[in-house]
Amino acid sequence: MSTTRTIPLSSPWLDEREEEVVLEVLRSGRLSLGPTIDRFEEAFAEVVGAPYAAAVSSGTAGLHLLCVAAGIGPGDEVVTSPYSFVASANCAIYEGATPVFADIDPVTLNLDPGAVEAAMSERTKAVVAVDIYGYPCELAELRALCERHGVPLIDDACEALGASYRGQRIGSHGPSAVFAFYPNKQVTTAEGGMVTTHSEEEWRLLRSLRNQGRADSGGWLEHARLGFNYRIDDVRAAMGIVQLEKLPEILARRQAAAARYSDLLAGVPGLDLPCADDAEHARSWFVYVVALPEGTDRERVIAELERNGVQTARYLPCIHLQPYLRERYGFAEGLCPVAEAMSARTLALPFHTGIDEADQAYVADALRTALE
Ligand SMILES: Cc1ncc(COP(=O)(O)O)c(C=O)c1O
């Protein structure tokens, strides 16, 4: 195989339209706290079917604000997934709470509701569920569990814009949800995030918290509560509006690209492909992550793909085994055996909205060869 080719793991999908609207904002002089942010929020709320949306500076900021809104503090526990990006646990740690990791389902890679139930205690103050790789979590069961315990469910939907659960988009169901717009996401604003909520009161609180604790009624130097600077700006919001307009095409292209990989990789012995949609879960394709055959030396496969110019990523390391969490809470191997086993096997292949069909065929060939 030629080694001159490089196939990137990810790439944003932008054109002149984003450039035009960014320039318009730059020339308008309203760079932040301007009307473009309101328009982005309104458009986003409509797209996901939520009554309220509050734009923030990142997905992490959104998750943190929902933890603040839930009143999470020292001594509290927050149950979450070990198979996720660190921010879904960090958001609770920022407020002094202890993350409690419940194991995942080996097929969906999302939280196993039975494990969540077993992990809940009288100290549980919230559950942060993740729609990993854009596949909706078990919303109904998790919601029922949280209602029984009288604690909020926070939906980390950072990877799931456009996904649906029971026929309705993530964001429309009620639990407050957080979306993220880093450049590898379905929709990007470079950096940015959005929180959707079904409570006007929570929406007003989020808008205050992201804006240094200012109240709607107060002045610029009046702070009603301890807040943060977690604002998005009008430049990013303008990009977001254009990207949202493209969402149907983005989702369709990503779905087609995923289907192509699944065809190209069908029948590779022992290779597990991302789980298919079912009657309740419709994925929004964020990444294409395979689980290598059991016993495969993943590092050898990664190195061989790299030699052939194919970028990959070890999605996702278990959060509880990250150095700072081992050190701080004494977490070790064996805490979440399913997540640990899947995490050792899973690998993200190059995947983005504009991925070329020939590149996908090349990646699939390279992977097949590496696994022979
Ligand atoms: C599951 C999950 N949660 C949270 C985040 C954090 O989003 P951001 O990078 O915008 O802070 C990400 C983004 O990578 C994510 O994938």
Side-chain angles (χ1 to χ4, degrees):
M1 257 183 202
S2 147
T3 52
T4 53
R5 198 162 175 167
T6 299
I7 304 181
L9 184 65
S10 154
S11 177
W13 201 61
L14 306 168
D15 60 32
E16 305 74 36
R17 187 76 190 111
E18 283 84 358
E19 292 172 17
E20 275 165 27
V21 295
V22 163
L23 270 178
E24 265 169 40
V25 173
L26 293 180
R27 288 171 181 156
S28 77
R30 293 294 301 274
L31 302 188
S32 195
L33 290 165
T36 316
I37 296 170
D38 297 335
R39 281 175 41 224
F40 183 33
E41 291 176 339
E42 283 158 21
F44 195 92
E46 193 175 327
V47 161
V48 303
Y52 305 99
V56 285
S57 53
S58 68
T60 306
L63 289 167
H64 184 195
L65 291 190
L66 284 182
C67 286
V68 174
I72 288 164
D76 295 334
E77 293 180 350
V78 173
V79 179
T80 189
S81 172
Y83 190 87
S84 176
F85 183 67
V86 285
S88 48
N90 284 350
C91 57
I93 298 174
Y94 295 150
E95 289 304 303
T98 302
V100 174
F101 294 100
D103 215 342
I104 59 165
D105 178 277
V107 175
T108 66
L109 306 176
N110 276 325
L111 274 174
D112 168 358
V116 173
E117 184 163 25
M120 290 178 90
S121 74
E122 69 283 354
R123 291 170 69 187
T124 304
K125 198 67 184 268
V127 172
V128 177
V130 184
D131 305 306
I132 202 69
Y133 306 149
Y135 196 83
C137 65
E138 301 310 327
L139 260 186
E141 281 160 275
L142 293 172
R143 200 170 179 181
L145 262 179
C146 285
E147 272 165 19
R148 262 208 314 283
H149 283 78
V151 299
L153 175 62
I154 295 172
D155 186 358
D156 178 348
C158 285
E159 303 182 352
L161 174 56
S164 295
Y165 177 77
R166 295 190 175 171
Q168 288 184 303
R169 282 222 164 133
I170 293 293
S172 70
H173 293 272
S176 299
V178 181
F179 299 84
F181 310 130
Y182 183 75
N184 67 345
K185 298 294 190 297
Q186 292 89 332
V187 155
T188 187
T189 59
E191 296 284 355
M194 189 74 77
V195 186
T196 57
T197 173
H198 287 233
S199 151
E200 184 180 348
E201 195 187 337
E202 184 172 77
W203 180 65
R204 290 194 185 284
L205 177 61
L206 292 168
R207 287 165 64 93
S208 169
L209 286 170
R210 76 174 176 193
N211 189 20
Q212 306 282 19
R214 295 181 177 104
D216 283 346
S217 52
W220 182 249
L221 292 178
E222 191 182 320
H223 304 273
R225 55 182 59 81
L226 175 66
F228 305 83
N229 182 351
Y230 281 170
R231 296 186 302 263
I232 201 166
D233 55 71
D234 287 66
V235 181
R236 288 181 169 83
M239 264 181 87
I241 292 168
V242 171
Q243 287 266 291
L244 273 187
E245 286 166 3
K246 295 178 177 173
L247 185 65
E249 187 180 355
I250 289 173
L251 296 179
R253 280 175 175 266
R254 293 176 88 97
Q255 186 158 15
R260 268 198 305 275
Y261 264 145
S262 296
D263 283 348
L264 289 163
L265 293 169
V268 178
L271 183 74
D272 288 333
L273 305 181
C275 71
D277 290 353
D278 62 21
E280 298 198 330
H281 308 79
R283 186 195 299 265
S284 165
W285 287 91
F286 164 53
V287 282
Y288 193 90
V289 172
V290 296
L292 300 182
E294 278 178 55
T296 304
D297 178 352
R298 186 172 66 169
E299 293 309 307
R300 184 189 59 72
V301 172
I302 291 170
E304 202 164 319
L305 291 172
E306 185 73 44
R307 263 197 307 282
N308 286 303
V310 176
Q311 293 184 351
T312 59
R314 295 168 190 79
Y315 282 7
L316 273 159
C318 281
I319 299 178
H320 62 285
L321 300 180
Q322 292 289 347
Y324 72 103
L325 284 157
R326 285 176 184 264
E327 205 174 298
R328 189 157 170 176
Y329 302 103
F331 295 136
E333 282 82 1
L335 183 68
C336 298
V338 179
E340 290 163 27
M342 294 315 294
S343 169
R345 288 177 57 204
T346 45
L347 188 68
L349 303 180
F351 186 81
H352 51 93
T353 306
I355 195 165
D356 187 81
E357 288 186 36
D359 281 355
Q360 287 192 272
Y362 178 86
V363 170
D365 275 353
L367 180 59
R368 274 180 187 273
T369 308
L371 290 174
E372 271 167 8

